[in-house]
Short mmCIF file of all heavy atoms in Angstrom, two decimals:
data_model
loop_
_atom_site.label_atom_id
_atom_site.label_comp_id
_atom_site.label_asym_id
_atom_site.label_seq_id
_atom_site.Cartn_x
_atom_site.Cartn_y
_atom_site.Cartn_z
N PHE A 497 -14.98 2.08 13.74
CA PHE A 497 -15.29 3.03 12.67
C PHE A 497 -14.38 4.24 12.81
O PHE A 497 -14.15 4.72 13.93
CB PHE A 497 -16.75 3.49 12.74
CG PHE A 497 -17.76 2.38 12.65
CD1 PHE A 497 -18.89 2.39 13.45
CD2 PHE A 497 -17.58 1.32 11.78
CE1 PHE A 497 -19.82 1.37 13.38
CE2 PHE A 497 -18.51 0.29 11.69
CZ PHE A 497 -19.63 0.31 12.50
N ASN A 502 -17.67 9.31 11.65
CA ASN A 502 -17.96 7.88 11.63
C ASN A 502 -19.22 7.57 10.83
O ASN A 502 -20.01 6.68 11.18
CB ASN A 502 -18.06 7.32 13.06
CG ASN A 502 -16.70 7.21 13.71
OD1 ASN A 502 -15.68 7.07 13.02
ND2 ASN A 502 -16.65 7.28 15.03
N LEU A 504 -21.33 5.93 8.07
CA LEU A 504 -21.22 4.55 7.61
C LEU A 504 -21.38 4.47 6.10
O LEU A 504 -22.25 5.09 5.50
CB LEU A 504 -22.28 3.69 8.30
CG LEU A 504 -22.23 3.72 9.84
CD1 LEU A 504 -23.37 2.89 10.42
CD2 LEU A 504 -20.89 3.22 10.34
N PHE A 535 -19.98 7.65 18.30
CA PHE A 535 -19.97 6.29 17.77
C PHE A 535 -20.21 6.30 16.26
O PHE A 535 -19.43 5.77 15.49
CB PHE A 535 -21.04 5.45 18.47
CG PHE A 535 -21.16 4.05 17.95
CD1 PHE A 535 -20.29 3.07 18.38
CD2 PHE A 535 -22.16 3.72 17.05
CE1 PHE A 535 -20.40 1.77 17.89
CE2 PHE A 535 -22.29 2.42 16.57
CZ PHE A 535 -21.40 1.44 17.00
N SER A 536 -21.30 6.91 15.84
CA SER A 536 -21.59 7.08 14.41
C SER A 536 -22.78 8.01 14.26
O SER A 536 -23.80 7.85 14.94
CB SER A 536 -21.90 5.75 13.73
OG SER A 536 -22.36 5.98 12.40
N MET A 537 -22.66 8.96 13.31
CA MET A 537 -23.75 9.89 13.05
C MET A 537 -24.71 9.35 11.99
O MET A 537 -25.64 10.04 11.59
CB MET A 537 -23.18 11.22 12.58
CG MET A 537 -22.25 11.86 13.61
SD MET A 537 -23.10 12.37 15.10
CE MET A 537 -23.74 13.96 14.58
N GLY A 538 -24.49 8.10 11.52
CA GLY A 538 -25.42 7.50 10.58
C GLY A 538 -24.77 7.21 9.24
O GLY A 538 -23.55 7.30 9.07
N VAL A 539 -25.61 6.86 8.28
CA VAL A 539 -25.14 6.53 6.94
C VAL A 539 -24.56 7.77 6.26
O VAL A 539 -24.99 8.90 6.53
CB VAL A 539 -26.31 5.94 6.11
CG1 VAL A 539 -25.98 5.88 4.63
CG2 VAL A 539 -26.65 4.55 6.62
N PHE A 563 -26.13 -3.30 3.86
CA PHE A 563 -26.26 -2.80 5.23
C PHE A 563 -27.19 -3.71 6.03
O PHE A 563 -26.88 -4.13 7.15
CB PHE A 563 -26.79 -1.37 5.20
CG PHE A 563 -26.62 -0.61 6.48
CD1 PHE A 563 -25.69 0.40 6.57
CD2 PHE A 563 -27.38 -0.90 7.60
CE1 PHE A 563 -25.51 1.12 7.76
CE2 PHE A 563 -27.23 -0.19 8.79
CZ PHE A 563 -26.28 0.82 8.86
N MET A 584 -22.79 10.29 20.12
CA MET A 584 -24.01 10.11 19.35
C MET A 584 -23.96 8.81 18.54
O MET A 584 -22.95 8.50 17.91
CB MET A 584 -24.23 11.29 18.41
CG MET A 584 -24.50 12.59 19.12
SD MET A 584 -24.93 13.92 17.97
CE MET A 584 -25.16 15.28 19.11
N ALA A 585 -25.05 8.07 18.59
CA ALA A 585 -25.24 6.89 17.75
C ALA A 585 -26.62 7.03 17.13
O ALA A 585 -27.63 6.63 17.71
CB ALA A 585 -25.13 5.62 18.58
N LEU A 586 -26.66 7.64 15.96
CA LEU A 586 -27.92 8.06 15.34
C LEU A 586 -28.13 7.35 14.01
O LEU A 586 -27.16 6.96 13.34
CB LEU A 586 -27.93 9.57 15.13
CG LEU A 586 -27.72 10.42 16.40
CD1 LEU A 586 -27.66 11.91 16.02
CD2 LEU A 586 -28.84 10.18 17.40
N GLY A 587 -29.39 7.25 13.61
CA GLY A 587 -29.70 6.70 12.30
C GLY A 587 -29.07 5.34 12.11
O GLY A 587 -29.28 4.41 12.89
N GLY A 588 -28.28 5.22 11.04
CA GLY A 588 -27.62 3.94 10.75
C GLY A 588 -26.71 3.49 11.86
O GLY A 588 -26.52 2.28 12.06
N GLY A 589 -26.11 4.43 12.59
CA GLY A 589 -25.29 4.05 13.73
C GLY A 589 -26.10 3.31 14.77
O GLY A 589 -25.65 2.30 15.33
N PHE A 590 -27.31 3.79 15.05
CA PHE A 590 -28.16 3.08 15.99
C PHE A 590 -28.62 1.75 15.41
O PHE A 590 -28.74 0.76 16.13
CB PHE A 590 -29.37 3.91 16.38
CG PHE A 590 -30.34 3.12 17.22
CD1 PHE A 590 -30.05 2.84 18.55
CD2 PHE A 590 -31.51 2.61 16.68
CE1 PHE A 590 -30.91 2.08 19.32
CE2 PHE A 590 -32.37 1.85 17.44
CZ PHE A 590 -32.08 1.58 18.76
N GLU A 591 -28.87 1.69 14.10
CA GLU A 591 -29.31 0.43 13.51
C GLU A 591 -28.27 -0.67 13.68
O GLU A 591 -28.60 -1.84 13.90
CB GLU A 591 -29.65 0.65 12.03
CG GLU A 591 -30.93 1.45 11.86
CD GLU A 591 -31.25 1.75 10.41
OE1 GLU A 591 -30.43 2.40 9.73
OE2 GLU A 591 -32.32 1.32 9.95
N VAL A 592 -26.99 -0.32 13.58
CA VAL A 592 -25.94 -1.31 13.87
C VAL A 592 -26.09 -1.80 15.30
O VAL A 592 -26.07 -3.01 15.59
CB VAL A 592 -24.54 -0.70 13.63
CG1 VAL A 592 -23.45 -1.59 14.19
CG2 VAL A 592 -24.31 -0.46 12.13
N LEU A 593 -26.24 -0.87 16.25
CA LEU A 593 -26.36 -1.25 17.65
C LEU A 593 -27.61 -2.08 17.92
O LEU A 593 -27.59 -2.99 18.75
CB LEU A 593 -26.40 0.01 18.53
CG LEU A 593 -25.14 0.88 18.50
CD1 LEU A 593 -25.38 2.18 19.27
CD2 LEU A 593 -23.95 0.13 19.09
N ALA A 594 -28.69 -1.76 17.23
CA ALA A 594 -29.95 -2.45 17.47
C ALA A 594 -29.86 -3.93 17.12
O ALA A 594 -30.66 -4.74 17.61
CB ALA A 594 -31.08 -1.80 16.66
N GLY A 608 -30.97 7.20 18.71
CA GLY A 608 -32.25 7.43 18.05
C GLY A 608 -32.19 7.26 16.56
O GLY A 608 -31.11 7.26 15.94
N GLU A 611 -33.76 9.65 10.75
CA GLU A 611 -33.85 9.80 9.29
C GLU A 611 -35.00 10.69 8.83
O GLU A 611 -34.84 11.42 7.82
CB GLU A 611 -33.97 8.40 8.65
CG GLU A 611 -32.71 7.59 8.65
CD GLU A 611 -32.49 6.78 9.93
OE1 GLU A 611 -33.25 7.04 10.93
OE2 GLU A 611 -31.61 5.92 9.96
#
Side-chain angles (χ1 to χ4, degrees):
F497 301 140
N502 286 334
L504 303 177
F535 177 81
S536 172
M537 301 293 277
V539 167
F563 196 108
M584 294 186 181
L586 302 176
F590 173 74
E591 288 177 300
V592 168
L593 297 173
E611 287 86 349

